Amino acid sequence: MKIDNLKGKFDKVFNNGDQASLFRAPGRVNLIGEHTDYNDGLVLPIAINLSTYALIATNEEEKVRLFSENLGEKKEFFLTDTGIKRNDWTDYIRGIVSGLQNRTDPVRGFDLYINSEVPVGSGLSSSAALEIATAVGVKKELQLEDLGDLELIKLCQSAENDFVGANTGIMDQYVSYFGKSGAALLIDTSRPSHDPFELDLSGHELLVIDTTVSHTHGGNEYNKRRKECESALKTINENNAQDNRFSSLSQISAADLKKFKSYLPGIQYKRTKHVVEENERVVQTAKLLQEGKIERAGELFYASHESLRDLYEVSSSELDFLVEFAEEEGIPGARMTGGGFGGATIHLVPKGRLEEYRTKAKSEFEREFDIVPKCFVVLPSDGAKFQPTPNNYQQS
Ligand code: GLA
């Protein structure tokens, strides 16, 4: 953890370290259920042991003052200027403040010092961790007691959707908030609601390999996939009787889809098939993991990757390389995780093979792409809601 002497560092930047409280929110890894959340489907993520830390204190100015330790950047904006996008990391914070103002909350000025262990652009949800850490801190320090759990999560999601311009689903913010130590969260995003269960990987580690090839959601391809799903739903509903319409692609069964194939344009059919089958894989994976059938769950990881590569078309040569490497090495399961177009893969590695596997994966990847990937062994961890009180974290 990088929280050593954060109060001292806060004090150097803003001069009021003794007033500051520390908040934390984790990144996440999605085990399975990719590109299903904005289709009201199922996802199976864990919050991970890499977090973003936010030290917050109110100030007497009509301003939000920000410092990112990772970037070494100090920024500020007036509370009256929250509608102005800057196309940088401060937009996440502007989006949250602007969302609170729309709720008619009286937003006071505050100082925010950010330090993050979650690598940016790696598919581990650094932006959700930043949003949730900030929102829980702002809620506490500005005494916004009536801001409920789900409302806070949605506020962060809408900062991303409406402010940053990435039309992402609710998964990342949800698990960063509700994640549970030692558990995976089976989330039904249509409600949304979740069902945590103990994650026992029976002698395996969950290794993340970050290709370090950055993905950007604000961009186009992610939003384009979402639109393609909306178009598919529209086509299906236009071809169905009034009493047989669907409110999301996740309501469609595999049997239904067979009937719709004749009229669905190719791209729309492929996207829908991925969503329908991925939802089924989530249900099966959750069951298999709870039964300790890790090898069979791993097969579904591979199947998910194949579907994301061929049907949903969000993989990349770097991600495919790592998953093919895993298959060649006889690892039970591997897949890309997160939105795709770069980012990271997850690998179910037998504990005894971890060092050898990690070393070989890194060197083979470097030989192929001339890039050194980053590796993390991740553990299911508590989300922001389950943190000890900020006082426990305060540094002397
Ligand atoms: C990104 C988004 C999530 C989800 C995944 C793909 O991480 O933020 O909402 O859509 O991609 O499953």
Side-chain angles (χ1 to χ4, degrees):
M1 280 204 282
K2 293 194 197 168
I3 58 172
D4 291 350
N5 198 26
L6 275 188
K7 285 189 92 173
K9 291 176 178 173
F10 184 100
D11 202 50
K12 271 199 191 127
V13 180
F14 300 117
N15 294 323
N16 55 347
D18 53 334
Q19 302 294 317
S21 299
L22 182 61
F23 301 86
R24 179 199 75 97
R28 66 97 188 90
V29 157
N30 190 18
L31 298 180
I32 198 159
E34 224 64 86
H35 289 274
T36 45
D37 61 350
Y38 52 83
N39 286 302
D40 280 355
L42 302 171
V43 292
L44 188 62
I46 59 169
I48 58 171
N49 49 323
L50 293 172
S51 287
T52 295
Y53 297 90
L55 234 86
I56 301 189
T58 52
N59 63 35
E60 296 306 321
E61 305 186 41
E62 294 294 299
K63 271 181 192 172
V64 175
R65 301 189 298 187
L66 307 165
F67 185 79
S68 159
E69 183 171 329
N70 302 69
L71 298 173
E73 262 179 25
K74 191 173 179 189
K75 303 266 184 182
E76 63 176 42
F77 58 87
F78 282 98
L79 290 169
T80 46
D81 281 351
T82 48
I84 304 168
K85 274 177 69 166
R86 297 282 172 200
N87 298 316
D88 62 20
W89 62 278
T90 66
D91 283 346
Y92 296 105
I93 317 299
R94 288 168 198 271
I96 288 169
V97 174
S98 158
L100 288 171
Q101 288 171 329
N102 290 340
R103 235 180 64 112
T104 68
D105 282 313
V107 179
R108 280 186 63 178
F110 61 90
D111 298 334
L112 172 63
Y113 185 101
I114 300 287
N115 177 315
S116 185
E117 303 164 335
V118 190
V120 173
S122 61
L124 302 181
S125 280
S126 57
S127 58
L130 170 62
E131 291 151 9
I132 294 285
T134 301
V136 290
V138 168
K139 171 179 164 159
K140 182 87 181 11
E141 295 307 297
L142 273 61
Q143 296 166 355
L144 308 174
E145 280 89 9
D146 69 325
L147 181 63
D149 293 341
L150 198 54
E151 209 186 346
L152 181 145
I153 290 168
K154 287 189 170 168
L155 180 83
C156 292
Q157 186 196 1
S158 69
E160 191 121 6
N161 294 170
D162 306 335
F163 218 83
V164 181
N167 284 327
T168 49
I170 200 168
M171 167 171 68
D172 304 347
Q173 292 80 8
Y174 196 99
V175 69
S176 179
Y177 189 73
F178 275 124
K180 261 204 143 329
S181 175
L185 254 62
L186 177 58
I187 305 174
D188 176 351
T189 63
S190 67
R191 303 162 72 96
S193 63
H194 66 283
D195 194 3
F197 64 88
E198 192 190 334
L199 184 64
D200 177 2
L201 293 179
S202 339
H204 293 77
E205 299 279 9
L206 195 56
L207 175 70
V208 173
I209 308 187
D210 174 7
T211 63
T212 75
V213 178
S214 190
H215 66 114
T216 41
H217 286 152
N220 28 43
E221 285 298 322
Y222 182 99
N223 291 350
K224 199 169 148 203
R225 292 298 175 283
R226 195 168 176 156
K227 284 223 169 75
E228 287 163 352
C229 288
E230 284 161 13
S231 307
L233 183 64
K234 193 160 172 266
T235 312
I236 290 167
N237 281 336
E238 279 168 1
N239 282 276
N240 268 282
Q242 193 83 36
D243 58 354
N244 194 19
R245 298 216 164 134
F246 301 92
S247 61
S248 76
L249 293 187
S250 295
Q251 292 182 328
I252 295 168
S253 68
D256 285 334
L257 183 62
K258 273 195 189 139
K259 293 186 233 146
F260 306 157
K261 187 173 181 188
S262 59
Y263 60 74
L264 268 178
I267 293 275
Q268 293 182 20
Y269 175 73
K270 279 162 78 172
R271 307 302 188 236
T272 309
K273 187 166 159 60
H274 167 76
V275 173
V276 169
E277 293 176 352
E278 186 77 350
N279 278 322
E280 284 177 2
R281 280 188 286 268
V282 175
V283 175
Q284 288 170 22
T285 306
K287 188 165 173 287
L288 290 167
L289 287 174
Q290 288 174 79
E291 292 168 355
K293 295 181 179 153
I294 193 89
E295 303 273 337
R296 288 186 51 205
E299 285 166 19
L300 297 177
F301 277 29
Y302 283 123
S304 168
H305 185 81
E306 211 173 286
S307 179
L308 289 158
R309 184 191 64 204
D310 300 340
L311 297 178
Y312 218 72
E313 299 177 278
V314 291
S315 190
S316 68
S317 52
E318 294 87 357
L319 296 167
D320 293 343
F321 179 88
L322 287 170
V323 174
E324 277 159 32
F325 171 81
E327 263 177 316
E328 282 159 18
E329 288 293 310
I331 291 297
R335 54 181 291 275
M336 56 157 275
T337 188
F341 311 109
T345 48
I346 47 170
H347 304 240
L348 284 170
V349 188
K351 277 195 173 130
R353 289 197 57 192
L354 185 65
E355 279 321 308
E356 161 245 325
Y357 182 79
R358 174 169 38 198
T359 308
K360 190 164 176 201
K362 274 178 105 165
S363 67
E364 298 278 312
F365 188 85
E366 188 178 354
R367 191 180 6 219
E368 181 76 12
F369 298 105
D370 208 13
I371 300 171
V372 182
K374 289 192 184 132
C375 295
F376 313 89
V377 174
V378 293
L379 298 169
S381 305
D382 274 333
K385 184 174 166 64
F386 300 101
Q387 279 313 287
T389 59
N391 280 340
N392 293 357
Y393 276 107
Q394 293 200 1
Q395 309 288 304
S396 53

